[in-house]
mmCIF file of all heavy atoms in Angstrom:
data_model
loop_
_atom_site.group_PDB
_atom_site.id
_atom_site.type_symbol
_atom_site.label_atom_id
_atom_site.label_comp_id
_atom_site.label_asym_id
_atom_site.label_seq_id
_atom_site.Cartn_x
_atom_site.Cartn_y
_atom_site.Cartn_z
ATOM 1 N N SER A 93 2.692 -6.116 -0.532
ATOM 2 C CA SER A 93 1.717 -6.487 -1.555
ATOM 3 C C SER A 93 1.896 -7.932 -2.000
ATOM 4 O O SER A 93 2.904 -8.269 -2.627
ATOM 5 C CB SER A 93 1.871 -5.556 -2.764
ATOM 6 O OG SER A 93 0.962 -5.940 -3.763
ATOM 7 N N GLN A 140 -5.827 -8.235 -10.107
ATOM 8 C CA GLN A 140 -5.237 -7.411 -9.058
ATOM 9 C C GLN A 140 -5.725 -5.984 -9.218
ATOM 10 O O GLN A 140 -6.425 -5.665 -10.185
ATOM 11 C CB GLN A 140 -3.715 -7.532 -9.012
ATOM 12 C CG GLN A 140 -2.960 -7.057 -10.232
ATOM 13 C CD GLN A 140 -1.443 -7.307 -10.057
ATOM 14 O OE1 GLN A 140 -0.974 -8.407 -10.251
ATOM 15 N NE2 GLN A 140 -0.700 -6.268 -9.704
ATOM 16 N N GLY A 141 -5.326 -5.123 -8.273
ATOM 17 C CA GLY A 141 -5.904 -3.785 -8.201
ATOM 18 C C GLY A 141 -5.839 -2.989 -9.494
ATOM 19 O O GLY A 141 -6.814 -2.357 -9.914
ATOM 20 N N ARG A 142 -4.678 -3.032 -10.158
ATOM 21 C CA ARG A 142 -4.512 -2.167 -11.328
ATOM 22 C C ARG A 142 -5.401 -2.591 -12.492
ATOM 23 O O ARG A 142 -5.704 -1.780 -13.372
ATOM 24 C CB ARG A 142 -3.041 -2.102 -11.737
ATOM 25 C CG ARG A 142 -2.464 -3.362 -12.267
ATOM 26 C CD ARG A 142 -0.960 -3.327 -12.247
ATOM 27 N NE ARG A 142 -0.435 -3.358 -10.871
ATOM 28 C CZ ARG A 142 0.852 -3.277 -10.553
ATOM 29 N NH1 ARG A 142 1.748 -3.120 -11.493
ATOM 30 N NH2 ARG A 142 1.254 -3.343 -9.299
ATOM 31 N N ALA A 143 -5.830 -3.846 -12.520
ATOM 32 C CA ALA A 143 -6.760 -4.297 -13.565
ATOM 33 C C ALA A 143 -8.106 -3.599 -13.368
ATOM 34 O O ALA A 143 -8.750 -3.173 -14.338
ATOM 35 C CB ALA A 143 -6.919 -5.812 -13.515
ATOM 36 N N GLU A 145 -8.451 -0.697 -12.003
ATOM 37 C CA GLU A 145 -8.225 0.706 -12.380
ATOM 38 C C GLU A 145 -8.266 0.877 -13.898
ATOM 39 O O GLU A 145 -8.884 1.798 -14.423
ATOM 40 C CB GLU A 145 -6.868 1.167 -11.837
ATOM 41 C CG GLU A 145 -6.862 1.248 -10.312
ATOM 42 C CD GLU A 145 -5.466 1.360 -9.707
ATOM 43 O OE1 GLU A 145 -4.467 1.144 -10.442
ATOM 44 O OE2 GLU A 145 -5.372 1.652 -8.503
ATOM 45 N N PHE A 165 -2.667 6.506 -5.738
ATOM 46 C CA PHE A 165 -1.538 5.587 -5.734
ATOM 47 C C PHE A 165 -0.914 5.597 -7.133
ATOM 48 O O PHE A 165 -1.574 5.977 -8.097
ATOM 49 C CB PHE A 165 -2.021 4.186 -5.347
ATOM 50 C CG PHE A 165 -0.915 3.169 -5.330
ATOM 51 C CD1 PHE A 165 0.172 3.335 -4.480
ATOM 52 C CD2 PHE A 165 -0.940 2.080 -6.177
ATOM 53 C CE1 PHE A 165 1.207 2.419 -4.480
ATOM 54 C CE2 PHE A 165 0.092 1.154 -6.173
ATOM 55 C CZ PHE A 165 1.171 1.327 -5.323
ATOM 56 N N THR A 167 -0.118 3.382 -9.464
ATOM 57 C CA THR A 167 -0.780 2.663 -10.571
ATOM 58 C C THR A 167 -2.111 3.327 -10.924
ATOM 59 O O THR A 167 -2.545 3.308 -12.079
ATOM 60 C CB THR A 167 -1.063 1.184 -10.234
ATOM 61 O OG1 THR A 167 -1.938 1.116 -9.102
ATOM 62 C CG2 THR A 167 0.211 0.415 -9.939
ATOM 63 N N THR A 168 -2.762 3.912 -9.911
ATOM 64 C CA THR A 168 -4.031 4.603 -10.159
ATOM 65 C C THR A 168 -3.774 5.807 -11.058
ATOM 66 O O THR A 168 -4.440 6.013 -12.075
ATOM 67 C CB THR A 168 -4.663 5.084 -8.836
ATOM 68 O OG1 THR A 168 -4.501 4.086 -7.842
ATOM 69 C CG2 THR A 168 -6.128 5.388 -9.020
ATOM 70 N N THR A 223 -8.210 7.164 -1.103
ATOM 71 C CA THR A 223 -7.334 6.013 -0.911
ATOM 72 C C THR A 223 -7.195 5.768 0.588
ATOM 73 O O THR A 223 -6.727 6.642 1.320
ATOM 74 C CB THR A 223 -5.962 6.295 -1.554
ATOM 75 O OG1 THR A 223 -6.167 6.750 -2.893
ATOM 76 C CG2 THR A 223 -5.105 5.045 -1.577
ATOM 77 N N THR A 225 -5.818 2.976 3.507
ATOM 78 C CA THR A 225 -5.078 4.129 3.974
ATOM 79 C C THR A 225 -4.353 4.786 2.790
ATOM 80 O O THR A 225 -4.274 4.188 1.721
ATOM 81 C CB THR A 225 -3.999 3.717 4.995
ATOM 82 O OG1 THR A 225 -3.149 2.705 4.388
ATOM 83 C CG2 THR A 225 -4.602 3.058 6.241
ATOM 84 N N ASN A 227 -1.707 5.283 0.721
ATOM 85 C CA ASN A 227 -0.456 4.549 0.461
ATOM 86 C C ASN A 227 0.694 5.487 0.087
ATOM 87 O O ASN A 227 1.783 5.395 0.640
ATOM 88 C CB ASN A 227 -0.699 3.535 -0.670
ATOM 89 C CG ASN A 227 0.491 2.606 -0.881
ATOM 90 O OD1 ASN A 227 1.531 2.751 -0.261
ATOM 91 N ND2 ASN A 227 0.335 1.641 -1.757
ATOM 92 N N ASP A 256 -10.486 3.549 -2.835
ATOM 93 C CA ASP A 256 -9.413 2.628 -3.238
ATOM 94 C C ASP A 256 -9.024 1.953 -1.923
ATOM 95 O O ASP A 256 -8.265 2.488 -1.127
ATOM 96 C CB ASP A 256 -8.261 3.429 -3.848
ATOM 97 C CG ASP A 256 -7.101 2.540 -4.291
ATOM 98 O OD1 ASP A 256 -7.141 1.331 -4.019
ATOM 99 O OD2 ASP A 256 -6.146 3.074 -4.899
ATOM 100 N N ALA A 258 -7.552 -0.859 -0.676
ATOM 101 C CA ALA A 258 -6.565 -1.927 -0.478
ATOM 102 C C ALA A 258 -6.305 -2.196 1.006
ATOM 103 O O ALA A 258 -6.105 -3.339 1.415
ATOM 104 C CB ALA A 258 -5.253 -1.559 -1.183
ATOM 105 N N ARG A 259 -6.326 -1.132 1.824
ATOM 106 C CA ARG A 259 -6.020 -1.299 3.263
ATOM 107 C C ARG A 259 -7.171 -0.789 4.122
ATOM 108 O O ARG A 259 -6.973 -0.069 5.094
ATOM 109 C CB ARG A 259 -4.693 -0.595 3.580
ATOM 110 C CG ARG A 259 -3.519 -1.176 2.788
ATOM 111 C CD ARG A 259 -2.196 -0.514 3.086
ATOM 112 N NE ARG A 259 -1.136 -1.064 2.251
ATOM 113 C CZ ARG A 259 -0.926 -0.728 0.972
ATOM 114 N NH1 ARG A 259 -1.681 0.179 0.395
ATOM 115 N NH2 ARG A 259 0.055 -1.290 0.290
ATOM 116 N N TRP A 294 -12.596 -0.086 -5.353
ATOM 117 C CA TRP A 294 -11.821 -1.183 -5.907
ATOM 118 C C TRP A 294 -10.773 -1.553 -4.893
ATOM 119 O O TRP A 294 -10.407 -0.760 -4.029
ATOM 120 C CB TRP A 294 -11.206 -0.863 -7.270
ATOM 121 C CG TRP A 294 -10.140 0.180 -7.286
ATOM 122 C CD1 TRP A 294 -8.804 -0.010 -7.076
ATOM 123 C CD2 TRP A 294 -10.310 1.582 -7.550
ATOM 124 N NE1 TRP A 294 -8.134 1.181 -7.198
ATOM 125 C CE2 TRP A 294 -9.026 2.177 -7.480
ATOM 126 C CE3 TRP A 294 -11.412 2.388 -7.841
ATOM 127 C CZ2 TRP A 294 -8.829 3.542 -7.680
ATOM 128 C CZ3 TRP A 294 -11.205 3.737 -8.036
ATOM 129 C CH2 TRP A 294 -9.932 4.302 -7.963
ATOM 130 N N SER A 296 -7.061 -3.836 -4.268
ATOM 131 C CA SER A 296 -5.984 -4.776 -4.493
ATOM 132 C C SER A 296 -6.012 -5.730 -3.315
ATOM 133 O O SER A 296 -5.638 -5.378 -2.205
ATOM 134 C CB SER A 296 -4.642 -4.052 -4.535
ATOM 135 O OG SER A 296 -3.601 -5.019 -4.428
ATOM 136 N N SER A 297 -6.492 -6.940 -3.554
ATOM 137 C CA SER A 297 -6.669 -7.881 -2.447
ATOM 138 C C SER A 297 -5.356 -8.463 -1.955
ATOM 139 O O SER A 297 -5.321 -9.234 -1.011
ATOM 140 C CB SER A 297 -7.626 -8.996 -2.878
ATOM 141 O OG SER A 297 -8.821 -8.416 -3.323
ATOM 142 N N LYS A 298 -4.259 -8.074 -2.630
ATOM 143 C CA LYS A 298 -2.927 -8.499 -2.208
ATOM 144 C C LYS A 298 -2.533 -7.819 -0.905
ATOM 145 O O LYS A 298 -1.487 -8.114 -0.343
ATOM 146 C CB LYS A 298 -1.905 -8.159 -3.298
ATOM 147 C CG LYS A 298 -2.241 -8.812 -4.626
ATOM 148 C CD LYS A 298 -1.350 -8.307 -5.755
ATOM 149 C CE LYS A 298 0.032 -8.905 -5.642
ATOM 150 N NZ LYS A 298 0.844 -8.632 -6.846
ATOM 151 N N LYS A 299 -3.335 -6.891 -0.469
ATOM 152 C CA LYS A 299 -3.082 -6.218 0.801
ATOM 153 C C LYS A 299 -4.030 -6.799 1.856
ATOM 154 O O LYS A 299 -3.814 -7.906 2.316
ATOM 155 C CB LYS A 299 -3.268 -4.705 0.660
ATOM 156 C CG LYS A 299 -2.240 -3.899 -0.137
ATOM 157 C CD LYS A 299 -1.754 -4.400 -1.421
ATOM 158 C CE LYS A 299 -0.893 -3.461 -2.208
ATOM 159 N NZ LYS A 299 -1.550 -2.703 -3.248
ATOM 160 N N GLY A 306 -5.107 -11.142 -6.421
ATOM 161 C CA GLY A 306 -6.561 -10.952 -6.473
ATOM 162 C C GLY A 306 -6.961 -9.505 -6.310
ATOM 163 O O GLY A 306 -6.157 -8.656 -5.913
HETATM 164 C C1 PLP B 629 -1.357 -1.923 -4.435
HETATM 165 C C2 PLP B 629 -2.284 -0.827 -4.673
HETATM 166 C C3 PLP B 629 -2.926 -0.661 -5.902
HETATM 167 C C4 PLP B 629 -2.609 -1.523 -7.112
HETATM 168 O O1 PLP B 629 -2.910 -2.845 -6.875
HETATM 169 P P1 PLP B 629 -2.091 -4.064 -7.524
HETATM 170 O O2 PLP B 629 -2.755 -5.249 -6.903
HETATM 171 O O3 PLP B 629 -0.658 -3.913 -7.126
HETATM 172 O O4 PLP B 629 -2.290 -4.003 -8.985
HETATM 173 C C5 PLP B 629 -3.828 0.365 -6.033
HETATM 174 N N1 PLP B 629 -4.086 1.211 -5.026
HETATM 175 C C6 PLP B 629 -3.493 1.087 -3.823
HETATM 176 C C7 PLP B 629 -3.813 2.032 -2.730
HETATM 177 C C8 PLP B 629 -2.560 0.077 -3.608
HETATM 178 O O5 PLP B 629 -1.955 -0.028 -2.437
#
Side-chain angles (χ1 to χ4, degrees):
S93 178
Q140 63 183 80
R142 68 197 69 183
E145 292 166 348
F165 180 60
T167 61
T168 319
T223 310
T225 55
N227 187 355
D256 180 354
R259 299 181 183 79
W294 67 87
S296 166
S297 305
K298 302 171 75 170
K299 289 44 172 262

